Amino acid sequence: RELVAARVLARRLFTVPKADALYEWMREPNVRTAVLTEEHVVLGFVTWDNETIFGLGLDPNRRGEGLARRLMQHAMDPPRPMFLQVGLHNTPAQSLYRSLGFLAQPDPTGDDIYSDGTPFLRMHRPHQATMETS
C-alpha cells in the first residue's frame, strides 16, 4: 500500500516514464523504500539499495522542513559509499546531496540524459574515511 502511495506522489513530481521506472525499482527484491506520512498523507519517500539512491520525492508544499534530509539520512544508515543521479538543473536537490557528502562526478561521454530527455548529474558519496581525509 505504501509503495502505491509513493508511486502516486512520484507521478505528481516526475514525468510518467521516470515515475514508472522508479516504481519498478521499488518492487525489486533488494530495494527498500521508506515512506514518510503524516495523518495518512504521504509527504515523501526515498528508494534505495546498498549502493544507490534510486529516487527521493517530497511534497512541494513541505519543502524546507528538513524532511528530505531525514529520508536521505535513513537511507544512508549505516554510512557507506553511495551513488545517485539528480537533474542537472535541480540545484536545491544538488545542494542537499552535497551537504550529505555527495560529490559531483564528471560526465566524460556527454550522454547523462534521462529517457525523457532531461540531463542529469551523477553524484557519489565516498566512504566516510575517505571524506574525513579530504
Side-chain angles (χ1 to χ4, degrees):
R1 209 168 98 176
E2 285 187 335
L3 292 185
V4 173
R7 182 183 194 189
V8 169
L9 179 58
R11 280 192 158 205
R12 281 187 24 219
L13 300 173
F14 309 125
T15 63
V16 172
K18 186 175 178 183
D20 288 349
L22 181 57
Y23 183 66
E24 291 304 315
W25 277 114
M26 289 177 183
R27 296 173 50 206
E28 289 292 317
N30 294 322
V31 173
R32 294 172 296 258
T33 298
V35 178
L36 181 63
T37 62
E38 183 177 88
E39 298 178 14
H40 307 289
V41 175
V42 174
L43 303 180
F45 66 88
V46 63
T47 299
W48 77 99
D49 69 8
N50 197 45
E51 300 174 342
T52 305
I53 302 289
F54 295 107
L56 172 69
L58 188 68
D59 182 325
N61 297 320
R62 300 301 297 267
R63 291 187 179 148
E65 298 178 26
L67 301 176
R69 177 176 300 279
R70 280 182 36 206
L71 285 164
M72 285 294 294
Q73 288 170 330
H74 178 74
M76 297 182 318
D77 186 34
R80 62 199 178 280
M82 295 195 82
F83 297 89
L84 60 79
Q85 297 172 352
V86 59
L88 187 61
H89 304 295
N90 189 347
T91 53
Q94 290 176 31
S95 294
L96 168 66
Y97 300 144
R98 282 189 176 94
S99 76
L100 293 169
F102 284 86
L103 306 170
Q105 294 184 298
D107 174 15
T109 61
D111 65 353
D112 284 349
I113 299 173
Y114 291 122
S115 61
D116 68 0
T118 306
F120 65 84
L121 175 67
R122 294 173 192 266
M123 298 186 83
H124 173 246
R125 183 176 185 270
H127 191 275
Q128 193 67 29
T130 305
M131 291 173 50
E132 291 170 0
T133 59
S134 44

